[in-house]
Amino acid sequence: MINQADVIPILLEACPTFENTWQEHVQDYGEDLLYVAAGAFARHLLGLKNEGDLSCLPSVGAAIERFHQEGSPWVKEFATIGLLEGIQNVWSHQESDGEYFSRYLGEESMRWWQSLNTFWSGEKTHVSL
């Protein structure tokens, strides 16, 4: 089972270029505020996309799928509310199509991505499958 302590190492394996941003986060906030780090991760991914560097997006999508399939309850929630929602929010607020990232998601992650969409559109009152 993937636990909270495993999340950042798995993300760094999937996207090694996040290392410097992660170290800055640790200096500013310590290692405990992972939801804040998820926002930094979303901004990092957007920066890579804007530079045309899409190389880590498939491995990031695979890591998020692993979190949904193999994670503790905390990790599963973090994958949805921290990572997926972070990507949707950060990308859409920077005039980038957040849906672009969804092509890299596995089946389970895509279901949660769509659940976030139905929540934000007002079709549902909460995020659930």
Side-chain angles (χ1 to χ4, degrees), residues 2 28 42 44 51 69 71 83-84 92 96 98 100 118 126-127 129:
I2 298 171
D28 292 343
H44 179 76
E51 293 169 5
Q69 292 180 349
L83 295 170
L84 295 182
S92 67
S96 183
Y100 179 88
T118 58
H126 59 282
V127 177
L129 293 183

Side-chain angles (χ1 to χ4, degrees), residues 6-123:
D6 304 318
V7 167
I8 295 299
I10 290 171
L11 290 177
L12 289 171
E13 182 179 335
C15 186
T17 59
F18 182 61
E19 178 69 37
N20 288 340
T21 303
W22 169 245
Q23 291 306 321
E24 290 172 10
H25 171 83
V26 171
Q27 287 178 357
D28 292 343
Y29 303 104
E31 295 185 7
D32 295 333
L33 297 177
L34 294 185
Y35 278 83
V36 175
F41 189 69
R43 286 186 296 281
H44 179 76
L45 293 179
L46 179 59
L48 292 174
K49 177 190 173 278
N50 289 343
E51 293 169 5
D53 182 357
L54 309 177
S55 60
C56 76
L57 297 185
S59 58
V60 169
I64 294 171
E65 184 71 6
R66 280 189 63 207
F67 294 157
H68 279 121
Q69 292 180 349
E70 303 170 30
S72 68
W74 186 94
V75 170
K76 290 178 181 183
E77 182 175 310
F78 178 77
T80 301
I81 304 304
L83 295 170
L84 295 182
E85 187 172 31
I87 291 166
Q88 287 181 346
N89 285 333
V90 167
W91 288 34
S92 67
H93 287 105
Q94 297 297 319
E95 299 180 14
S96 183
D97 182 11
E99 290 302 312
Y100 179 88
F101 183 79
S102 70
R103 70 184 71 189
Y104 298 102
L105 296 176
E107 186 176 327
E108 184 70 10
S109 298
M110 186 58 150
R111 290 179 13 187
W112 284 104
W113 180 273
Q114 291 168 341
S115 180
L116 285 165
N117 285 341
T118 58
F119 169 75
W120 286 112
S121 71
E123 295 174 47

